Amino acid sequence: QVQLVESGGGVVQPGRSLRLSCAASGFTFNTYAMHWVRQAPGKGLEWVAIIWYDGSNKYYANSVKGRFTISRDNSRSTLYLQMNSLRAEDTAVYYCARDSSPGHEMDYWGQGTLVTVSS
Amino acid sequence: DIQMTQSPASLSASVGDRVTITCRASQSISIYFSWYQQKPGKAPKLLIYAVSSLRSGVPSRFSGSGSGTDFTLTISNLQPEDFATYYCQQTYNTPYTFGQGTKLEIK
């Protein structure tokens, strides 16, 4: 069965960096695009980024562009989100999700990992 | 960016009721439109994609409709497990924006 497991969350000071990971199993990882989506405490969903199945294309939300980098290692079936210059407003649960092409909806989600940006 | 305006923000209903949630896009998004359900402390779940296609395993009391910029999620014969928050999303253009969410509560 499809499984996505995020890790790497925690408490980090403003301006610092953090890298999230998402370990995928139960499907052929290197044939699917992948997303990161976040949810601030008590708020709605915010799409963060997408990476194509082969890493050839990456797109970001305006709020993270230039600070966050999505990447993947298909040999390890793992998705990453490198987050730099973190701000208080980046505090959220971060979910990875599988892309269901061609419509790009997200058909499987991980359980999420909490990132808290605080001094 | 494409803005998604979802309404209502909250809704009270009873078991057995029929409810409708609407979502409006700031521009035409073709069929690149989905609905998700989220329960407290859980990840969202995909319900409907491509406007009206029901994801496998989702009960048939859920249905989606619409075109262009205006879309609707209808839940017929509400069941206790349907009380949750619902989000719409466009995937026509990046950034793939979500609506603000509709919290469906028990009356």
Side-chain angles (χ1 to χ4, degrees):
Chain A
Q1 71 284 16
V2 173
Q3 195 167 11
L4 298 169
V5 179
E6 301 94 339
S7 61
V11 180
V12 60
Q13 293 178 329
R16 302 299 290 266
S17 299
L18 203 61
R19 188 178 81 157
L20 305 183
S21 300
C22 170
S25 60
F27 66 101
T28 307
F29 182 72
N30 62 11
T31 62
Y32 286 86
M34 296 292 295
H35 301 261
W36 285 101
V37 175
R38 68 183 181 182
Q39 186 169 36
K43 303 297 185 183
L45 301 172
E46 180 186 16
W47 177 83
V48 172
I50 183 174
I51 184 169
W52 254 228
Y53 71 98
D54 59 355
S56 59
N57 287 297
K58 305 174 186 180
Y59 300 97
Y60 298 91
N62 294 332
S63 58
V64 307
K65 201 174 296 182
R67 300 188 299 124
F68 289 12
T69 301
I70 189 172
S71 63
R72 64 192 297 158
D73 184 341
N74 284 344
S75 68
R76 297 176 182 269
S77 295
T78 302
L79 174 72
Y80 301 101
L81 185 67
Q82 178 67 44
M83 304 185 294
N84 298 333
S85 303
L86 282 161
R87 305 167 180 167
E89 54 265 36
D90 295 319
T91 294
V93 173
Y94 285 74
Y95 297 100
C96 63
R98 192 179 80 167
D99 181 281
S100 179
S101 292
H104 295 303
E105 59 274 353
M106 297 150 204
D107 60 354
Y108 288 93
W109 297 62
Q111 84 288 350
T113 188
L114 176 61
V115 173
T116 302
V117 183
S118 173
S119 53
Chain B
D1 297 359
I2 298 174
Q3 309 305 315
M4 303 300 290
T5 303
Q6 193 173 335
S7 62
S10 62
L11 180 58
S12 294
S14 301
V15 172
D17 283 354
R18 179 177 181 266
V19 299
T20 298
I21 299 169
T22 63
C23 194
R24 174 167 287 177
S26 59
Q27 67 178 75
S28 179
I29 56 173
S30 185
I31 64 167
Y32 295 91
F33 180 83
S34 308
W35 289 101
Y36 297 85
Q37 177 194 67
Q38 187 180 33
K39 296 183 178 179
K42 300 294 187 180
K45 291 183 177 180
L46 177 65
L47 295 177
I48 290 173
Y49 62 97
V51 179
S52 59
S53 295
L54 199 64
R55 186 187 181 186
S56 176
V58 174
S60 59
R61 62 181 179 271
F62 291 89
S63 64
S65 63
S67 64
T69 61
D70 294 306
F71 304 91
T72 298
L73 172 69
T74 299
I75 313 171
S76 303
N77 188 23
L78 271 172
Q79 296 300 299
E81 60 268 29
D82 300 337
F83 292 93
T85 300
Y86 293 86
Y87 294 92
C88 62
Q89 187 197 23
Q90 67 81 20
T91 52
Y92 181 75
N93 272 343
T94 60
Y96 293 153
T97 40
F98 288 93
Q100 306 95 313
T102 295
K103 187 173 184 179
L104 177 56
E105 298 175 303
I106 301 175
K107 187 182 289 183

